[in-house]
Amino acid sequence: MISNALDRDGVRRLVAIGRDITERDSQSETYRQRDAWASMLLRGSSDLILVTDRSGRIAYASPSVERILGRSVDEVAGRLLTSLVHPDDLLVDPAPTAHIGRVLGTGPGRQRVLRLRSADGTWCRLRLERSSSEELGGHLVLLTGRELQGERDAANLLTDQTVLLERIARGAPVRESLLAVADLAARRLGDVEVVIGYADGASYLSESPTVDDELIAVLERTGISRPPLAQPTGPPELVRTNVGWDSVVKTASGGRCARAFVADLTGSEGLVGRLVFLRHHDADLTPEERDLVALAVDLATIAVDRHHLQARLTHGALHDELTGLPNRRYLLTRLRDAFHDEGMRAGLLFVDLDRFKLINDSLGHDAGDQLLQEVSYRFRR
């Protein structure tokens, strides 16, 4: 600071007084940097941070309010928080004298799931927690909210899984169940088309809700969607891929698909099928995506196993266990079908084995069983 004393008798000088403010400037720069860091952290935070007064009027909202609720910071500031909360989530009426913690049920350190209205009118579920801070004093309340998008996705996935399992348990056609599994996996993974190959008696079929028959035929012909007959030795990998498969699917799909991930279905009878995931880009599967693949494999395996079990039960009810020939129930069913139409004529041939009792008595029942199996084999031929 400089004082003009030139016209004062005895002084006739400019008087300068200086104070060292190096430390003050350093502190100001530190505060400025801290403020900039705090602003960047709040802007990048996935949580919603709110500061309200005791009655719940919002004094500060973090920039994440725009992403979570679709509202600008200026739109939220000065507004009562209770006006954004679903009425059913309020514990008491939001009177001006009621503390916001009592209205929302958010005591210090306590969490509650509340629904906040977004700008488009939908409700966003957040896990809201009130933090205690001496620096805020007793007049302000700090609230932190985390969006429950992940929990909602997990709940929806669990619901889809339950619906699929119920459909399989009720005996839905295996093709219908496998198409539902493929659709579920494709929707959850994104940028993926799914093909499920499975054994159905003497046939091997492949199903997909989106992949065309020409590409499915290529996958079967090259063995991508069909597991080898030899059983794997040792614990198999959940997901496998190789550059050869990638090259095949790129060419066969006209460049639409970049990679092929394969997961075998190992049921009670061994290898019963295979899932093929055709990805539209060349990125690897994340751990979360591998978990989804494992879920799809489990669901598809259950569906195929259930189908095979039903086929065995149906066959066993109509065929003799020893020879595999149709039994009396099957015969009666065929006779009813044959004589259903009026005027139908048919013949019935009875065949007996001479001295069969002698075989059982002299050589044992095992030899008699072998004889019946050989005779049935010759009948089938």
Side-chain angles (χ1 to χ4, degrees):
M1 181 178 64
I2 299 177
S3 300
N4 186 357
L6 293 175
D7 56 350
R8 292 178 60 182
D9 295 337
V11 180
R12 306 289 185 178
R13 297 287 190 276
L14 292 174
V15 180
I17 302 175
R19 179 179 295 171
D20 187 358
I21 61 171
T22 302
E23 183 177 352
R24 188 181 69 182
D25 287 346
S26 178
Q27 289 179 343
S28 298
E29 178 62 20
T30 300
Y31 292 146
R32 187 192 66 78
Q33 288 183 354
R34 287 180 180 176
D35 183 64
W37 293 340
S39 298
M40 286 189 294
L41 288 173
L42 289 173
R43 188 170 298 279
S45 174
S46 60
D47 294 345
L48 174 61
I49 300 174
L50 299 171
V51 178
T52 74
D53 62 14
R54 293 172 56 87
S55 64
R57 191 170 299 278
I58 300 173
Y60 170 82
S62 62
S64 56
V65 71
E66 298 181 12
R67 177 184 60 80
I68 296 175
L69 298 181
R71 301 179 183 274
S72 66
V73 174
D74 293 338
E75 178 187 357
V76 173
R79 186 168 180 171
L80 285 172
L81 176 58
T82 51
S83 67
L84 299 175
V85 178
H86 195 288
D88 293 343
D89 293 343
L90 302 177
L91 300 185
V92 298
D93 292 334
T97 57
H99 193 284
I100 186 62
R102 182 166 175 265
V103 175
L104 300 182
T106 52
R110 181 182 173 189
Q111 296 182 351
R112 274 203 69 200
V113 176
L114 300 174
R115 290 166 289 178
L116 272 63
R117 185 186 292 276
S118 302
D120 60 3
T122 60
W123 295 100
C124 180
R125 295 172 70 245
L126 283 87
R127 189 178 300 279
L128 212 64
E129 179 179 6
R130 175 183 162 196
S131 303
S132 58
S133 175
E134 295 181 357
E135 295 180 1
L136 291 175
H139 302 289
L140 295 176
V141 177
L142 175 63
L143 296 166
T144 304
R146 174 158 297 180
E147 191 178 9
L148 300 186
Q149 182 66 39
E151 294 185 18
R152 182 164 65 248
D153 287 345
N156 291 340
L157 179 59
L158 181 60
T159 300
D160 291 342
Q161 177 183 344
T162 303
V163 170
L164 264 174
L165 288 173
E166 183 177 355
R167 172 185 294 175
I168 295 170
R170 289 182 178 273
V174 64
R175 182 177 185 273
E176 178 184 319
S177 298
L178 292 179
L179 286 175
V181 172
D183 179 68
L184 171 64
R187 284 189 291 106
R188 292 286 174 175
L189 290 171
D191 292 327
V192 166
E193 297 178 63
V194 183
V195 177
I196 303 181
Y198 65 101
D200 187 16
S203 304
Y204 191 86
L205 307 175
S206 297
E207 307 289 355
S208 174
T210 57
V211 178
D212 58 84
D213 293 340
E214 185 176 349
L215 179 53
I216 287 179
V218 172
L219 296 177
E220 283 195 7
R221 188 167 60 249
T222 55
I224 296 177
S225 64
R226 186 167 189 162
L229 296 177
Q231 298 290 321
T233 57
E237 294 180 80
L238 171 64
V239 181
R240 298 190 307 281
T241 186
N242 64 53
V243 294
W245 292 343
D246 296 344
S247 177
V248 168
V249 300
K250 283 180 183 177
T251 303
S253 67
R256 184 178 79 256
C257 303
R259 297 195 67 183
F261 298 89
V262 164
D264 288 335
L265 308 180
T266 305
S268 57
E269 300 176 341
L271 284 176
V272 296
R274 175 174 282 181
L275 262 70
V276 180
F277 301 88
L278 304 177
R279 193 155 211 173
H280 295 168
H281 52 83
D282 58 2
D284 202 355
L285 294 175
T286 66
E288 292 78 12
E289 289 173 331
R290 286 178 176 268
D291 289 341
L292 282 169
V293 169
L295 174 61
V297 168
D298 289 342
L299 291 172
T301 302
I302 292 171
V304 175
D305 260 354
R306 173 70 171 75
H307 175 65
H308 289 173
L309 174 61
Q310 185 62 44
R312 289 197 303 271
L313 291 175
T314 302
H315 185 274
L318 300 175
H319 292 77
D320 176 63
E321 183 179 358
L322 176 65
T323 63
L325 291 177
N327 60 15
R328 184 174 61 179
R329 179 180 296 177
Y330 186 87
L331 170 64
L332 295 175
T333 301
R334 291 294 300 272
L335 286 175
R336 280 195 298 267
D337 293 342
F339 291 100
H340 181 268
D341 296 333
E342 186 176 354
M344 178 67 66
R345 298 173 61 87
L348 182 63
L349 176 67
F350 285 90
V351 178
D352 191 16
L353 293 180
D354 293 340
R355 297 180 298 279
F356 179 68
K357 185 176 182 301
L358 178 62
I359 299 294
N360 277 334
D361 293 343
S362 59
L363 299 179
H365 288 278
D366 288 343
D369 289 346
Q370 292 179 23
L371 175 60
L372 291 176
Q373 289 171 340
E374 178 62 25
V375 171
S376 65
Y377 170 70
R378 296 188 184 190
F379 277 149
R380 283 194 297 268
R381 289 185 61 188

